Amino acid sequence: MSVHHILLLLIIGYIVFSIDKKQEYFPVPTVLVLIGITLSPISYFANISITKDLIFHVFLPALLFISAYQFPTMAWKKYKYIIGGLGTIGLLLTIAIFGGFVYLIGNLFIQISIIAALLIAAILSPTDPVSVIAILKKSSSDRNTADIVEGESLLNDGTSIVVFGVLLSMLTQGTTFSLSGFVSEFLLVSLGGVAIGIAFGWLMSKAVHYTDHRQYQVMLSIIVAYGSFYLGELMDVSGVLSTVTAGMMLSYEFGKNIKEDHFRDQLDGFWGIIEPTILSIIFLLIGIQSARYLVFSEWQLAILLFLGSLIVRFLVITAMTQFHSTWKTYMSLRECAVIAWTGIKGTMSVALVLGFEAATDKSSEFISIIFVVILLSLVIQSSSVYPLVKRLKGS
């Protein structure tokens, strides 16, 4: 991908962001993906591709840091148990149940092992709220649901990567599943990432006082976003959870001191430019890349998996919240339905499927099924969030 390609993608992104005023039906990321699909047949874009490393090591740390840093501290304090439960135990249950569904339904169409089925579930279970959070907040005066969706997604990204790594190792190396081994590795990778994130976030909140130059202070935020991620990966723990925790820790520390408002303004200004820039490039690239997988024979299976992912997510969320006396007071069945529907597959799922493709010898048709489920989620769920929420909320 050349500089000319990047500039052209940015121009397209600028146009879409500029004309998209209301964002009520088709959020910007969805529009960009559809545009990317239409660009794919053009020879000028034939050599453009997106890889797991590009998403995982270039784009993802910035997007995670932005979401974590801007996530309201009060919302985390209020919903930390719901968010933590859905982002960890809830995701593990979703992967287990949906993996069983993929295995049973998938073998009616193609040959698939139970490990491969669980891997598909791990790829399709993390959520990407960047496509719908703005719409969700506009469609209802109740911010609670949006906060829970956003907070859950920050945690389930890290959880899904850990599970994906364990399952991929089992598939490629032929190792057997050990519950004790899985739990110990999961805790080590997750807690290690959280520890690094806390340390980075706390150190930055102190280091920022060593200079009065605001541009240097913003530079520190870049170091935290990428430094925490790469250190976590270097130490074989979750870089995703490192960056997420660092962003939330930074926000928490600054929230205790009103004198930091000027620094928040600088960070918001800088990352407010970076976010649409990255989104423009990444979602256009996802559209261009995914278009190459759309011609295959198992569309019926892809549609069934898409529907199954929605049903399993709704059942897990409902079971975890409606049978808990405290959580039930925060979330009715309507909120459960909204949270399930807004669990859209996005950047993380694309990164994982590309990693899955690179590490295995699965056929292109196998990868096509996963890509189509992601596209169906992006287009159908994103475009219907506004009318669905308006109807369910009755507002």
Side-chain angles (χ1 to χ4, degrees):
M1 185 168 57
S2 67
V3 175
H4 301 91
H5 287 126
I6 296 174
L7 287 174
L8 183 55
L9 295 179
L10 286 176
I11 291 171
I12 296 172
Y14 167 77
I15 294 173
V16 173
F17 272 104
S18 297
I19 65 177
D20 187 32
K21 302 286 186 181
K22 296 183 179 180
Q23 295 187 18
E24 291 183 350
Y25 294 102
F26 277 92
V28 169
T30 304
V31 176
L32 294 172
V33 167
L34 294 175
I35 292 175
I37 292 175
T38 62
L39 294 176
S40 183
I42 301 174
S43 59
Y44 181 75
F45 297 98
N47 295 326
I48 291 182
S49 62
I50 189 170
T51 65
K52 177 196 173 185
D53 288 340
L54 182 62
I55 296 177
F56 208 66
H57 296 121
V58 178
F59 296 133
L60 200 58
L63 292 176
L64 290 170
F65 178 80
I66 294 167
S67 297
Y69 171 74
Q70 293 179 343
F71 188 74
T73 302
M74 291 304 298
W76 171 248
K77 291 180 179 179
K78 184 177 181 180
Y79 301 117
K80 58 181 177 292
Y81 295 115
I82 296 179
I83 291 172
L86 293 178
T88 54
I89 297 174
L91 188 79
L92 293 174
L93 288 173
T94 300
I95 292 173
I97 298 172
F98 184 47
F101 176 85
V102 173
Y103 178 74
L104 293 174
I105 299 298
N107 275 291
L108 298 177
F109 297 85
I110 58 175
Q111 186 176 1
I112 181 173
S113 67
I114 185 62
I115 297 299
L118 288 170
L119 264 169
I120 292 176
I123 291 169
L124 296 175
S125 293
T127 58
D128 187 358
V130 70
S131 304
V132 297
I133 285 299
I135 301 175
L136 195 56
K137 290 178 179 178
K138 287 183 180 181
S139 59
S140 173
S141 58
D142 182 14
R143 290 180 54 93
N144 296 342
T145 303
D147 288 337
I148 292 173
V149 170
E150 189 171 15
E152 179 216 354
S153 73
L154 290 172
L155 289 185
N156 69 26
D157 279 352
T159 304
S160 64
I161 290 176
V162 175
V163 177
F164 174 82
V166 173
L167 293 173
L168 185 62
S169 175
M170 293 172 60
L171 183 68
T172 57
Q173 300 178 16
T175 58
T176 57
F177 179 79
S178 168
L179 180 60
S180 60
F182 173 80
V183 172
S184 61
E185 182 173 355
F186 177 81
L187 292 176
L188 175 64
V189 172
S190 301
L191 296 179
V194 170
I196 290 175
I198 290 175
F200 256 84
W202 182 83
L203 284 173
M204 179 182 171
S205 68
K206 306 306 175 185
V208 73
H209 299 294
Y210 283 93
T211 177
D212 294 327
H213 294 279
R214 296 182 180 180
Q215 61 269 37
Y216 301 153
Q217 295 173 336
V218 172
M219 285 174 63
L220 282 173
S221 70
I222 301 174
I223 295 172
V224 169
Y226 285 89
S228 57
F229 182 89
Y230 283 113
L231 182 59
E233 293 297 304
L234 181 65
M235 298 182 67
D236 292 327
V237 298
S238 175
V240 169
L241 288 177
S242 297
T243 301
V244 168
T245 310
M248 297 183 75
M249 185 67 183
L250 181 66
S251 180
Y252 171 75
E253 286 293 322
F254 286 166
K256 296 191 298 185
N257 190 348
I258 195 172
K259 294 180 180 180
E260 307 294 350
D261 286 345
H262 70 282
F263 181 58
R264 281 184 175 273
D265 292 339
Q266 293 297 309
L267 278 187
D268 291 343
F270 172 77
W271 290 105
I273 297 171
I274 296 298
E275 184 176 27
T277 301
I278 292 177
L279 292 179
S280 297
I281 297 174
I282 195 170
F283 280 102
L284 283 167
L285 289 176
I286 287 174
I288 293 172
Q289 181 84 8
S290 60
R292 300 162 188 169
Y293 295 92
L294 297 184
V295 180
F296 70 110
S297 60
E298 301 296 346
W299 269 82
Q300 185 178 358
L301 174 57
I303 293 172
L304 288 174
L305 294 186
F306 166 64
L307 295 175
S309 68
L310 290 174
I311 295 171
V312 170
R313 178 170 166 80
F314 174 72
L315 292 176
V316 170
I317 292 173
T318 301
M320 290 191 64
T321 58
Q322 299 307 296
F323 293 100
H324 193 287
S325 58
T326 303
W327 295 2
K328 188 176 181 180
T329 61
Y330 293 123
M331 295 172 57
S332 66
L333 283 176
R334 290 185 176 184
E335 272 74 38
C336 290
V338 171
I339 292 174
W341 190 259
T342 51
I344 295 173
K345 289 79 176 166
T347 307
M348 182 61 70
S349 292
V350 172
L352 294 181
V353 71
L354 291 174
F356 180 51
E357 182 181 31
T360 64
D361 58 353
K362 296 298 180 182
S363 66
S364 59
E365 187 174 73
F366 201 89
I367 305 301
S368 292
I369 294 171
I370 304 175
F371 260 109
V372 168
V373 175
I374 295 171
L375 287 177
L376 289 173
S377 177
L378 270 170
V379 175
I380 296 176
Q381 289 176 250
S382 295
S383 62
S384 56
V385 166
Y386 187 85
L388 175 67
V389 175
K390 295 292 284 186
R391 178 179 290 273
L392 289 178
K393 296 285 186 178
S395 58

